[in-house]
Amino acid sequence: MKLERLELWNFGKFYNRSIELSDGINLFSAENEAGKSTIYGFIKSMLFNVERGRGRGAAKDAFHQYEPWSNPTQYSGMLRFESGGRHFQLERDFARKGKKARLFCLDDGEELSEENGDLQAILMDLDAAGFENTTAIGQLKARPGEELQAALRNYAANYYTSGAGNVDLEAALQALQKRKKEVETLIREEAQKRLAKREEAERAAQYAARELDRIQKESADGEEEIRRGNRLLDTYEQTRNEQEQKRVPVKGAAVWIVLLILLAVLLPSPIRYLAVVIWAAAGVLAGLWVMRPEPKAEQSEEEQAVRRRIEKLKWNREKLRSERRDRQIEYDNLQEIIAEACTVSEEEKRLEQKKEALELAKNRMQEVSGDVRKETGSRLAQRAAEILGEITEGRYTKFFIEEELEISIFDGVRKIPLHMLSRGTIEQIYFAVRMAASEILYEEELPVILDDTFAYYDDKRMEAALRWLAGQKKQVLLFTCQNREKEALDHMHLTYRDGWD
């Protein structure tokens, strides 16, 4: 990829400023406040859009940093570049809402869409983080950040599994972790639903148990009251029987018999027989009259009330028996629900299996990426060591890059941690790592953009770095506020273009 033309239509301090770029080194040498960093920001904003913050930090974001000094509504620019042998023009209107970019191929006029990923495909999935961690080195930002670690992990895992570096391992791991958390949330929700179901069933079972106790007590009280009522009815019946027995005239019958005997003995014969017959007939008739059946004595209101109460109690007894059966069935069913709610459900088991599968996939991915990352790290260390050896004239030729981009070098005698080296050497190491990472991560060579990168380099180190860049035939945009770079290029008779012309 090569940058060919910049047109800052209205960007920062620039208005209708055109800048032609060539292969090799493009030197932008000027004092501070000349706009060097603005051009650097323009290239980044054109390729990856301008950054806009939110809240309190919005006033200091890139959007406001490069907002035009005059007429901010015309906040826009154009970039021409070559990639894969094709030439493209990218136009952006940073102030406009809605569609902000227009991209088309200068060779055949084909209109392309940034929204559909065409620009990202042309840039070989280079993003702003990758840009600023490899080929673009801003002021005092030579040390690569965490994004480079992630990019190298992605590249390592994808290169050895698919032969390409276009799958985002970090995003895949994050997606697995996110999905795992979602499954864990579902497991908790299922457990909470099961617990809530159990608690609800326990409350209902407690109520059913209380109802059974009430029914039992009410039934027992009713049976006792029925027994008392029956005993009272027996008393009423016995009283009536005694009253009927008192109706038999035992004394009268005895008197009648005595008189009958006296008549038979004392009266003379003719009269005696007639008198006896008459007295006997009168006695029989009197007995029949006395012993005649009488209508049954009516029950008292009290007895009737007792009988009504007993009938009501018997009806209530049947009702309570039916209610007890229903409550017992309900209680037994609730006990089954409680027992079931105490056991992990099939859905929870399924989700647990899914969680274990996600964890296994995550661990396996990390294991595989860790293995291949070591090999990628070796490749990165080897290439960085080659670059470092060239720019240090063979002083340091062996590199060690461990986890989290922990770097150390070998000087032929001992392994030296990075923090024990001079700042100038550290800057050279970071430069070598960036250049090596750029070659490994991206298939197409990218332009190198250096914004006062050599501030900590002495003249010798700076000349070595410039000589290496020129020897690689790389397109270089070199921004500096000093004349050292220009003098060094002239001294080494290296060709360059004055970027301001």
Side-chain angles (χ1 to χ4, degrees), residues 25 62 119 181 189 204 212 217 236 267 337 354 375 378 383 414 422 434 436 440 465 472 483 488:
I25 298 175
L119 178 59
K181 288 182 178 179
E189 289 176 352
L212 285 172
K217 184 178 182 303
Y236 290 142
L267 290 177
I337 293 173
K354 193 168 187 178
E375 186 170 347
S378 298
R383 180 54 183 149
R414 65 189 187 281
S422 67
R434 282 171 171 270
I440 290 174
Q472 300 301 309
N483 290 322

mmCIF file of all heavy atoms in Angstrom, residues 25 62 119 181 189 204 212 217 236 267 337 354 375 378 383 414 422 434 436 440 465 472 483 488:
data_model
loop_
_atom_site.group_PDB
_atom_site.id
_atom_site.type_symbol
_atom_site.label_atom_id
_atom_site.label_comp_id
_atom_site.label_asym_id
_atom_site.label_seq_id
_atom_site.Cartn_x
_atom_site.Cartn_y
_atom_site.Cartn_z
ATOM 1 N N ILE A 25 11.396 8.014 0.780
ATOM 2 C CA ILE A 25 11.262 8.881 1.951
ATOM 3 C C ILE A 25 10.655 10.225 1.560
ATOM 4 O O ILE A 25 11.132 10.890 0.632
ATOM 5 C CB ILE A 25 12.625 9.087 2.618
ATOM 6 C CG1 ILE A 25 13.183 7.746 3.115
ATOM 7 C CG2 ILE A 25 12.518 10.062 3.782
ATOM 8 C CD1 ILE A 25 14.571 7.822 3.690
ATOM 9 N N ALA A 62 -10.237 13.390 19.133
ATOM 10 C CA ALA A 62 -9.596 13.701 17.855
ATOM 11 C C ALA A 62 -10.492 14.563 16.974
ATOM 12 O O ALA A 62 -10.002 15.416 16.223
ATOM 13 C CB ALA A 62 -9.236 12.399 17.133
ATOM 14 N N LEU A 119 -13.562 -0.892 2.332
ATOM 15 C CA LEU A 119 -12.315 -0.229 2.710
ATOM 16 C C LEU A 119 -11.490 -1.134 3.628
ATOM 17 O O LEU A 119 -10.265 -1.241 3.472
ATOM 18 C CB LEU A 119 -12.615 1.098 3.411
ATOM 19 C CG LEU A 119 -11.388 1.879 3.901
ATOM 20 C CD1 LEU A 119 -10.450 2.200 2.746
ATOM 21 C CD2 LEU A 119 -11.808 3.155 4.615
ATOM 22 N N LYS A 181 -21.070 -16.473 29.911
ATOM 23 C CA LYS A 181 -21.758 -15.671 30.923
ATOM 24 C C LYS A 181 -23.265 -15.707 30.701
ATOM 25 O O LYS A 181 -24.039 -15.737 31.660
ATOM 26 C CB LYS A 181 -21.246 -14.232 30.887
ATOM 27 C CG LYS A 181 -19.825 -14.082 31.430
ATOM 28 C CD LYS A 181 -19.390 -12.632 31.424
ATOM 29 C CE LYS A 181 -17.991 -12.465 32.006
ATOM 30 N NZ LYS A 181 -17.541 -11.060 31.992
ATOM 31 N N GLU A 189 -31.004 -18.286 36.364
ATOM 32 C CA GLU A 189 -32.434 -18.017 36.216
ATOM 33 C C GLU A 189 -33.244 -19.302 36.396
ATOM 34 O O GLU A 189 -34.295 -19.291 37.041
ATOM 35 C CB GLU A 189 -32.704 -17.397 34.842
ATOM 36 C CG GLU A 189 -32.195 -15.965 34.710
ATOM 37 C CD GLU A 189 -32.389 -15.413 33.314
ATOM 38 O OE1 GLU A 189 -32.784 -16.199 32.407
ATOM 39 O OE2 GLU A 189 -32.143 -14.209 33.100
ATOM 40 N N ALA A 204 -47.742 -23.396 49.814
ATOM 41 C CA ALA A 204 -49.047 -24.019 49.568
ATOM 42 C C ALA A 204 -49.200 -25.293 50.402
ATOM 43 O O ALA A 204 -50.293 -25.589 50.913
ATOM 44 C CB ALA A 204 -49.192 -24.339 48.073
ATOM 45 N N LEU A 212 -55.731 -29.418 56.635
ATOM 46 C CA LEU A 212 -55.979 -30.800 57.069
ATOM 47 C C LEU A 212 -56.135 -30.870 58.586
ATOM 48 O O LEU A 212 -57.005 -31.594 59.102
ATOM 49 C CB LEU A 212 -54.831 -31.701 56.602
ATOM 50 C CG LEU A 212 -54.816 -32.060 55.112
ATOM 51 C CD1 LEU A 212 -53.522 -32.775 54.756
ATOM 52 C CD2 LEU A 212 -56.021 -32.939 54.749
ATOM 53 N N LYS A 217 -59.675 -31.492 63.189
ATOM 54 C CA LYS A 217 -60.206 -30.993 64.459
ATOM 55 C C LYS A 217 -61.709 -30.764 64.355
ATOM 56 O O LYS A 217 -62.483 -31.123 65.259
ATOM 57 C CB LYS A 217 -59.505 -29.688 64.837
ATOM 58 C CG LYS A 217 -59.920 -29.133 66.195
ATOM 59 C CD LYS A 217 -59.142 -27.873 66.513
ATOM 60 C CE LYS A 217 -59.511 -27.337 67.908
ATOM 61 N NZ LYS A 217 -60.948 -27.074 68.045
ATOM 62 N N TYR A 236 -84.499 -38.429 75.859
ATOM 63 C CA TYR A 236 -85.871 -38.049 75.498
ATOM 64 C C TYR A 236 -86.734 -39.290 75.259
ATOM 65 O O TYR A 236 -87.894 -39.379 75.679
ATOM 66 C CB TYR A 236 -85.878 -37.164 74.261
ATOM 67 C CG TYR A 236 -85.320 -35.777 74.488
ATOM 68 C CD1 TYR A 236 -84.543 -35.156 73.515
ATOM 69 C CD2 TYR A 236 -85.590 -35.094 75.663
ATOM 70 C CE1 TYR A 236 -84.020 -33.892 73.712
ATOM 71 C CE2 TYR A 236 -85.087 -33.823 75.868
ATOM 72 C CZ TYR A 236 -84.286 -33.227 74.895
ATOM 73 O OH TYR A 236 -83.785 -31.977 75.092
ATOM 74 N N LEU A 267 -123.847 -60.937 96.879
ATOM 75 C CA LEU A 267 -125.197 -60.745 96.334
ATOM 76 C C LEU A 267 -125.898 -62.098 96.203
ATOM 77 O O LEU A 267 -125.272 -63.146 95.974
ATOM 78 C CB LEU A 267 -125.116 -60.075 94.960
ATOM 79 C CG LEU A 267 -124.671 -58.593 94.977
ATOM 80 C CD1 LEU A 267 -124.564 -58.105 93.554
ATOM 81 C CD2 LEU A 267 -125.633 -57.751 95.764
ATOM 82 N N ILE A 337 -44.034 -31.989 44.059
ATOM 83 C CA ILE A 337 -43.452 -30.798 43.423
ATOM 84 C C ILE A 337 -42.221 -30.333 44.191
ATOM 85 O O ILE A 337 -41.193 -29.982 43.604
ATOM 86 C CB ILE A 337 -44.499 -29.673 43.330
ATOM 87 C CG1 ILE A 337 -45.617 -30.063 42.355
ATOM 88 C CG2 ILE A 337 -43.843 -28.361 42.883
ATOM 89 C CD1 ILE A 337 -46.765 -29.082 42.324
ATOM 90 N N LYS A 354 -23.620 -27.269 28.356
ATOM 91 C CA LYS A 354 -23.268 -26.244 27.391
ATOM 92 C C LYS A 354 -22.176 -25.332 27.943
ATOM 93 O O LYS A 354 -21.236 -24.953 27.232
ATOM 94 C CB LYS A 354 -24.509 -25.426 27.033
ATOM 95 C CG LYS A 354 -24.330 -24.534 25.814
ATOM 96 C CD LYS A 354 -25.667 -23.988 25.359
ATOM 97 C CE LYS A 354 -25.522 -23.239 24.043
ATOM 98 N NZ LYS A 354 -26.822 -22.749 23.557
ATOM 99 N N GLU A 375 5.455 -19.973 18.430
ATOM 100 C CA GLU A 375 6.157 -20.026 17.141
ATOM 101 C C GLU A 375 6.125 -18.667 16.458
ATOM 102 O O GLU A 375 7.129 -18.222 15.889
ATOM 103 C CB GLU A 375 5.515 -21.085 16.240
ATOM 104 C CG GLU A 375 6.277 -21.289 14.947
ATOM 105 C CD GLU A 375 5.774 -22.487 14.179
ATOM 106 O OE1 GLU A 375 5.010 -23.290 14.749
ATOM 107 O OE2 GLU A 375 6.137 -22.601 12.995
ATOM 108 N N SER A 378 8.584 -16.523 18.062
ATOM 109 C CA SER A 378 9.942 -16.831 17.605
ATOM 110 C C SER A 378 10.232 -16.174 16.262
ATOM 111 O O SER A 378 11.316 -15.618 16.034
ATOM 112 C CB SER A 378 10.123 -18.349 17.497
ATOM 113 O OG SER A 378 9.959 -18.970 18.756
ATOM 114 N N ARG A 383 12.911 -11.960 13.223
ATOM 115 C CA ARG A 383 12.934 -10.849 12.253
ATOM 116 C C ARG A 383 13.312 -9.548 12.941
ATOM 117 O O ARG A 383 14.074 -8.740 12.394
ATOM 118 C CB ARG A 383 11.556 -10.719 11.596
ATOM 119 C CG ARG A 383 11.465 -9.589 10.574
ATOM 120 C CD ARG A 383 12.533 -9.698 9.531
ATOM 121 N NE ARG A 383 12.495 -8.576 8.593
ATOM 122 C CZ ARG A 383 13.553 -8.069 7.990
ATOM 123 N NH1 ARG A 383 14.777 -8.578 8.210
ATOM 124 N NH2 ARG A 383 13.443 -7.062 7.151
ATOM 125 N N ARG A 414 25.319 -12.234 27.858
ATOM 126 C CA ARG A 414 24.243 -12.378 28.827
ATOM 127 C C ARG A 414 22.928 -11.886 28.247
ATOM 128 O O ARG A 414 22.900 -11.120 27.285
ATOM 129 C CB ARG A 414 24.571 -11.620 30.109
ATOM 130 C CG ARG A 414 24.655 -10.130 29.933
ATOM 131 C CD ARG A 414 25.203 -9.456 31.205
ATOM 132 N NE ARG A 414 25.157 -8.013 31.131
ATOM 133 C CZ ARG A 414 26.052 -7.266 30.466
ATOM 134 N NH1 ARG A 414 27.045 -7.849 29.813
ATOM 135 N NH2 ARG A 414 25.955 -5.949 30.464
ATOM 136 N N SER A 422 19.760 1.501 27.620
ATOM 137 C CA SER A 422 19.587 2.948 27.481
ATOM 138 C C SER A 422 18.307 3.249 26.726
ATOM 139 O O SER A 422 17.777 2.400 25.997
ATOM 140 C CB SER A 422 20.776 3.537 26.723
ATOM 141 O OG SER A 422 20.768 3.086 25.376
ATOM 142 N N ARG A 434 8.206 -3.170 15.850
ATOM 143 C CA ARG A 434 7.113 -2.645 15.040
ATOM 144 C C ARG A 434 7.278 -3.026 13.576
ATOM 145 O O ARG A 434 6.322 -3.463 12.917
ATOM 146 C CB ARG A 434 7.037 -1.120 15.172
ATOM 147 C CG ARG A 434 6.398 -0.614 16.457
ATOM 148 C CD ARG A 434 6.567 0.889 16.571
ATOM 149 N NE ARG A 434 5.807 1.462 17.664
ATOM 150 C CZ ARG A 434 4.557 1.915 17.572
ATOM 151 N NH1 ARG A 434 3.928 1.828 16.418
ATOM 152 N NH2 ARG A 434 3.946 2.446 18.611
ATOM 153 N N ALA A 436 9.039 -5.467 12.298
ATOM 154 C CA ALA A 436 8.894 -6.911 12.132
ATOM 155 C C ALA A 436 7.431 -7.326 12.221
ATOM 156 O O ALA A 436 6.956 -8.169 11.449
ATOM 157 C CB ALA A 436 9.717 -7.633 13.201
ATOM 158 N N ILE A 440 4.974 -9.307 9.469
ATOM 159 C CA ILE A 440 4.318 -10.574 9.784
ATOM 160 C C ILE A 440 2.801 -10.471 9.671
ATOM 161 O O ILE A 440 2.138 -11.357 9.122
ATOM 162 C CB ILE A 440 4.722 -11.032 11.204
ATOM 163 C CG1 ILE A 440 6.192 -11.452 11.215
ATOM 164 C CG2 ILE A 440 3.837 -12.177 11.686
ATOM 165 C CD1 ILE A 440 6.721 -11.781 12.592
ATOM 166 N N ALA A 465 18.929 3.872 11.264
ATOM 167 C CA ALA A 465 17.511 3.608 11.011
ATOM 168 C C ALA A 465 17.089 4.120 9.647
ATOM 169 O O ALA A 465 16.376 3.442 8.889
ATOM 170 C CB ALA A 465 16.663 4.249 12.109
ATOM 171 N N GLN A 472 15.071 -0.789 2.450
ATOM 172 C CA GLN A 472 13.892 -1.645 2.323
ATOM 173 C C GLN A 472 12.941 -1.178 1.229
ATOM 174 O O GLN A 472 11.931 -1.827 0.977
ATOM 175 C CB GLN A 472 13.137 -1.674 3.665
ATOM 176 C CG GLN A 472 13.945 -2.216 4.826
ATOM 177 C CD GLN A 472 14.424 -3.631 4.600
ATOM 178 O OE1 GLN A 472 13.647 -4.513 4.250
ATOM 179 N NE2 GLN A 472 15.728 -3.853 4.791
ATOM 180 N N ASN A 483 16.474 19.645 11.915
ATOM 181 C CA ASN A 483 17.147 19.464 10.619
ATOM 182 C C ASN A 483 18.033 18.225 10.615
ATOM 183 O O ASN A 483 18.692 17.941 9.609
ATOM 184 C CB ASN A 483 17.999 20.694 10.284
ATOM 185 C CG ASN A 483 17.140 21.904 9.948
ATOM 186 O OD1 ASN A 483 16.089 21.757 9.301
ATOM 187 N ND2 ASN A 483 17.556 23.085 10.381
ATOM 188 N N ALA A 488 21.210 14.243 7.848
ATOM 189 C CA ALA A 488 21.670 12.855 7.781
ATOM 190 C C ALA A 488 21.388 12.259 6.398
ATOM 191 O O ALA A 488 22.231 11.548 5.831
ATOM 192 C CB ALA A 488 20.971 12.037 8.850
#
